Amino acid sequence: MKSILLGCLMTIIGILALLSVLTVVSKKMRAKEEFTALECAVESAVKNAMEQNSHVINSNEQFIDEFIKQLLLQIDDDSSIDIDIAAADYKKGLLSVSVKQSFKTPNGTPSSIEYQTTCLMEQIIPKSYYHIVFRDKDNNIYKEYYLKEGEKIIVPSAPLSDNEQFLYWRSDTIKHITDFGNATGDITYYPVYLRRDDPRL
């Protein structure tokens, strides 16, 4: 009789031990899945922000806002996130972020995971993209963006200049550009002006 009870007790202990091990393994697997999901969300948000940066972003604030917007589109509404921007430079295409996601497990226990990454645009934007730059009369960057090879070059409105009339854009090799065409390489454009009181106007 004692041996039967002892056998039952050992069986129960074995089952409880197995359930405990399975619970630990399940938690680790779930934690790994949640970390992978956060990693994918952050990396995807960074990539999307980088791609937007190559076209329409003109400040670090816009760069950060675009990253946050892209991240929120991919994060579960039932969780909360804390975002720490360690570095952001839209001109260099640099973004270094730390994202902490807080949530409750299926049994209601609070939990959190954190993912950090630092990316450069040259790692995200393929080398087939070309750097298109428009400068102002003082040689400062007026507009810049990246285009894939063969994409149409987008010409911005001319930068204003006091007492001068904008005439046309030029490059290092072409004095008067009338057809900007498509992107075939890195290129910089410069504005050409004429004084408003110049009789040639």
Side-chain angles (χ1 to χ4, degrees):
M1 186 68 176
K2 288 184 178 179
S3 61
I4 294 176
L5 290 175
L6 182 60
C8 291
L9 180 60
M10 293 300 293
T11 300
I12 293 172
I13 292 174
I15 293 173
L16 291 175
L18 179 60
L19 289 175
S20 177
V21 170
L22 290 176
T23 299
V24 171
V25 172
S26 177
K27 286 183 178 179
K28 288 184 177 180
M29 290 180 62
R30 187 161 54 246
K32 184 177 180 180
E33 290 173 355
E34 290 164 347
F35 179 83
T36 301
L38 178 61
E39 177 185 14
C40 291
V42 173
E43 293 292 346
S44 178
V46 169
K47 180 178 183 296
N48 291 338
M50 291 286 189
E51 290 179 343
Q52 287 296 316
N53 184 33
S54 70
H55 291 278
V56 298
I57 291 176
N58 295 305
S59 70
N60 289 336
E61 291 74 16
Q62 287 182 339
F63 197 14
I64 293 171
D65 288 346
E66 183 63 30
F67 164 73
I68 294 174
K69 182 184 76 173
Q70 294 291 338
L71 181 62
L72 292 177
L73 290 174
Q74 303 177 65
I75 294 295
D76 191 340
D77 292 338
D78 294 332
S79 63
S80 62
I81 59 172
D82 294 313
I83 302 173
D84 180 29
I85 306 295
D89 190 323
Y90 82 100
K91 290 185 177 180
K92 296 180 180 178
L94 170 67
L95 188 60
S96 180
V97 299
S98 174
V99 179
K100 181 179 180 181
Q101 183 179 15
S102 300
F103 53 91
K104 287 187 178 181
T105 61
N107 62 7
T109 304
S111 184
S112 65
I113 49 178
E114 186 171 352
Y115 180 71
Q116 299 177 341
T117 187
T118 299
C119 294
L120 286 169
M121 184 179 293
E122 63 188 24
Q123 299 169 336
I124 304 295
I125 304 298
K127 293 185 180 299
S128 59
Y129 279 73
Y130 295 121
H131 191 197
I132 312 300
V133 179
F134 288 83
R135 295 187 176 274
D136 62 19
K137 61 173 294 186
D138 298 317
N139 207 34
N140 299 313
I141 293 178
Y142 174 61
K143 296 288 183 182
E144 63 176 339
Y145 49 89
Y146 291 79
L147 291 178
K148 290 181 181 179
E149 184 171 1
E151 285 189 328
K152 185 175 178 60
I153 292 177
I154 304 167
V155 183
S157 58
L160 298 177
S161 178
D162 294 338
N163 300 319
E164 291 181 312
Q165 175 68 46
F166 172 80
L167 298 180
Y168 49 81
W169 293 98
R170 69 171 180 84
S171 69
D172 292 320
T173 57
I174 303 176
K175 292 184 178 181
H176 184 178
I177 300 174
T178 56
D179 182 10
F180 290 82
N182 301 325
T184 58
D186 296 338
I187 190 167
T188 300
Y189 298 100
Y190 308 89
V192 176
Y193 295 90
L194 198 62
R195 288 185 59 85
R196 296 185 186 280
D197 59 0
D198 192 298
R200 288 174 293 177
L201 284 178

